[in-house]
Structures are given as C-alpha cells and as structure tokens.
Amino acid sequence: MLEEVERWLSTRSWSLADRPLQTILAAKRGTGQSISVVLPALDEEETVGDIVAAIRRDLVERVPLVDEIVVVDSGSTDRTSEVAAAAGARVAHRDAILTRLPAVPGKGEVLWRSLLVTRGDIVCFIDADLKEFTSDFVTGIVGPLLTDPDIALVKGMYDRPLGGAAGQGGRVTELVARPLLNLHWPQLAGFVQPLGGEYAARRSLLEQLPFPVGYGVELGMLVDSLHLVGLDALAQVDVGVRKHRHQDGQALGRMAAAIYRTAQLRLARGHLVRPSLTQFERVEDGFEPRTYSVDTEERPPMVEIAEYAARKVA
C-alpha cells in the first residue's frame, strides 16, 4: 500500500466514538451549518418509513441536528411516497424536478436532482433499502464535516453480511471497484466501502461534480473529488453493520458494467466501443441472450444549471 494511503488511514479513518453526539451538536451550533438528509428511493415501502422515522425521532425531535429529510422518489409503483411522507419526510418526485430536462432512470440521476430540492450546507445520502437502521449512520458521516473544515466528503464504512456470513456483501466492490481503484487510483485504495450509498459531502463540493446517472455515481464521485479537493479532504467513518436487500447476480453484472464505464471515461474520456452488456438466462429450450444498455450519460456539475444558479442568487 502507498505510504500516503497508510498515513491517510491513520488520520482520516474514524469510528463513531471519536465524535460523540454532543460534540457534533456543539460544532453545528458553532458553525451554523445546515444538514439535509436525502434518501433516493424506488419501490422501498418496506424500509423507507423506518429509516425516516428513526432520523426524525433521533436527530430532529430529540436533538436539532438534521434540518430536513427529503425522500426523492424515482418512479415507485408501490406506496414508497406515502410511507415516507407519513414517517415525516418531505417527498420530491424525480420527474417533477427540473422538468425542462427529461429524467432518465438511475440512482445518480436522483442524487443529482436532489441538489435542486434541498438547502443544506451538508448533504447526507442514505440508501432507502437499509434494514435495522440506526441514526448512527447519519451522525457518523456528518460528524467530521461539522468538526473539521478541511473535510469535504465522508463515506460510511461497515460490515455487509450476506446470507448469514459476515463480510460477504459488496460483491461488485470486491470484484470490480476495488481492483479498478487499486490499479488506476491507488490513493483511493484505503476506502473500505467505495461504492457504499451512505456518505455526506459539502454542497460546495457536490455542486461542482458531474454525476453519472446510474450505478457509477459513487465511484465517479470519489475519483472526481480526489482530483478536485485532494485525498486529505476525503474521510471515512466506521458505522457498524449495514443490512439491506441484496440483488441477484445479473443485476450485479449490470451494475459492474456501469461502474467500469464510469472508470473508463475518467481514465481516457474516450469513446465507449460498445455501451451494452449481454447476459444469459435459461429458458425452456436453452439459454436466451438478454442485452442491456450501459449508462453512458452524465449530468453536468449543478453549478452549470441555470435554475440552480438562479436559486442561489435568490
């Protein structure tokens, strides 16, 4: 491992215990920074309500840490929006944000649009499919941003159990993202969960970043942040265990392709030869090919969007 990464691990990797809640609250009062929590959600009625309720109970009502909880619904066909609103979130619908620009499917698209419907100086992203959620996820990843002005982005790190086995989650991380980062951006090799969906960043950084519209958003954000603000502005906090709904192997394949495409563009900004992925499914008389397009679109930095600039002036 690079000497720089070893140093980073000793100075920019923390645990929850390093910043007690009262320390974080004092820092928020002292700096006057506001915090938005954003949950991107697609058909997550089973889990989104419990997550919103925990954040609201612990970090809005019991202590004044979080200023707004926003669920951005990316086209759910279940009761995600109703459940989220009943639990105390403000619900925004992807297709109703920046209507002049038609929305495309993808997690990154939702995160990008969320900047237009939130106000916080710090934006904290939490996936909406987490089970047994605790508000420690939020306090852990916003803490360094409140207490250290030199930190710009904080990722959560955690164990990801799979089928009862500890540490077996994160298959795309281990098979795709970690090798890519170690080979091409070795300064980022110290991140335990580079693709994790729980992280927080300063709005002043997020609004300068391009957002891959799909699953490549987390890797793209890490790489672009490294180039924009440097390794020492990035950090990670151990928040324990992350339990969530796991996807099947073919869905993971599509995720891997999008992540590889994101890396490829950042390596060369070159032409993607074939922006599609063919997989196979067994049918009655053999195997049938199914071809899926790989996300090739990215949204520009939000500061380049006229509506966002106008809102800041107002």
Side-chain angles (χ1 to χ4, degrees), residues 97-101 112 115-116 119 302-314:
I97 304 170
L98 195 62
T99 55
R100 72 168 175 83
L101 193 64
W112 183 72
L115 296 180
L116 273 162
R119 291 283 184 178
M302 189 57 80
V303 290
E304 297 177 11
I305 300 300
E307 289 87 341
Y308 185 80
R311 190 191 75 161
K312 293 189 73 175
V313 170

Side-chain angles (χ1 to χ4, degrees), residues 101-104 108-109 112-113 209-213 297-301:
L101 193 64
V104 297
E109 177 82 353
W112 183 72
R113 289 176 185 260
L209 299 176
F211 276 60
V213 297
E297 188 169 356
E298 296 197 3
R299 294 305 191 187

Side-chain angles (χ1 to χ4, degrees), residues 4 46 65 80 125 134 136 142 144 151 181 197 217 239 268 272 291 301:
E4 182 181 9
E46 294 184 5
L65 183 69
T80 290
F125 298 116
T134 73
D136 287 344
V142 302
I151 301 297
L181 291 175
V217 63
V239 293
L272 184 63
T291 299

Side-chain angles (χ1 to χ4, degrees), residues 238-265:
D238 187 348
V239 293
V241 178
R242 182 188 196 269
K243 297 181 179 179
H244 65 114
R245 171 176 45 80
H246 292 283
Q247 301 197 53
D248 63 36
Q250 294 209 332
L252 294 178
R254 296 190 291 275
M255 185 184 302
I259 289 165
Y260 179 78
R261 189 276 316 175
T262 299
Q264 183 192 45
L265 287 181

Side-chain angles (χ1 to χ4, degrees), residues 155-175:
K155 296 280 292 188
M157 57 176 167
Y158 31 68
D159 294 318
R160 295 180 66 182
L162 176 64
Q168 294 303 305
R171 291 161 287 174
V172 175
T173 293
E174 299 303 330
L175 296 174

Side-chain angles (χ1 to χ4, degrees), residues 40-272:
L42 176 63
D43 295 332
E44 302 293 358
E45 67 175 351
E46 294 184 5
T47 50
V48 69
D50 289 342
I51 299 171
V52 169
I55 298 170
R56 185 166 189 81
R57 180 188 66 240
D58 297 344
L59 304 179
V60 176
E61 296 170 353
R62 290 181 180 172
V63 298
L65 183 69
V66 170
D67 297 280
E68 61 178 351
I69 307 169
V70 180
V71 170
V72 183
D73 191 323
S74 60
S76 298
T77 57
D78 65 2
R79 297 182 61 253
T80 290
S81 291
E82 293 86 344
V83 170
R90 174 162 58 89
V91 177
H93 293 273
R94 177 198 63 194
D95 295 346
I97 304 170
L98 195 62
T99 55
R100 72 168 175 83
L101 193 64
V104 297
K107 180 183 180 183
E109 177 82 353
V110 175
L111 300 184
W112 183 72
R113 289 176 185 260
S114 76
L115 296 180
L116 273 162
V117 292
T118 55
R119 291 283 184 178
D121 302 304
I122 294 170
V123 183
C124 174
F125 298 116
I126 301 290
D127 279 351
D129 65 343
L130 302 189
K131 303 174 182 178
E132 301 178 28
F133 175 84
T134 73
S135 58
D136 287 344
F137 275 75
V138 176
T139 57
I141 57 183
V142 302
L145 293 161
L146 288 170
T147 59
D148 189 337
D150 294 328
I151 301 297
L153 182 148
V154 181
K155 296 280 292 188
M157 57 176 167
Y158 31 68
D159 294 318
R160 295 180 66 182
L162 176 64
Q168 294 303 305
R171 291 161 287 174
V172 175
T173 293
E174 299 303 330
L175 296 174
V176 181
R178 200 176 307 286
L180 282 172
L181 291 175
N182 276 263
L183 288 168
H184 300 296
W185 297 280
Q187 286 178 296
L188 298 174
F191 277 94
V192 175
Q193 296 290 353
L195 300 185
E198 290 67 50
Y199 50 97
R202 300 192 189 281
R203 178 177 294 271
S204 57
L205 170 62
L206 293 171
E207 65 187 14
Q208 297 182 69
L209 299 176
F211 276 60
V213 297
Y215 285 120
V217 63
E218 273 86 22
L219 184 133
M221 190 177 294
L222 263 188
V223 171
D224 293 340
S225 295
L226 174 67
H227 291 303
L228 195 62
V229 296
L231 182 61
D232 283 341
L234 313 180
Q236 60 185 351
V237 174
D238 187 348
V239 293
V241 178
R242 182 188 196 269
K243 297 181 179 179
H244 65 114
R245 171 176 45 80
H246 292 283
Q247 301 197 53
D248 63 36
Q250 294 209 332
L252 294 178
R254 296 190 291 275
M255 185 184 302
I259 289 165
Y260 179 78
R261 189 276 316 175
T262 299
Q264 183 192 45
L265 287 181
R266 278 152 182 78
L267 284 169
R269 294 291 174 183
H271 176 63
L272 184 63

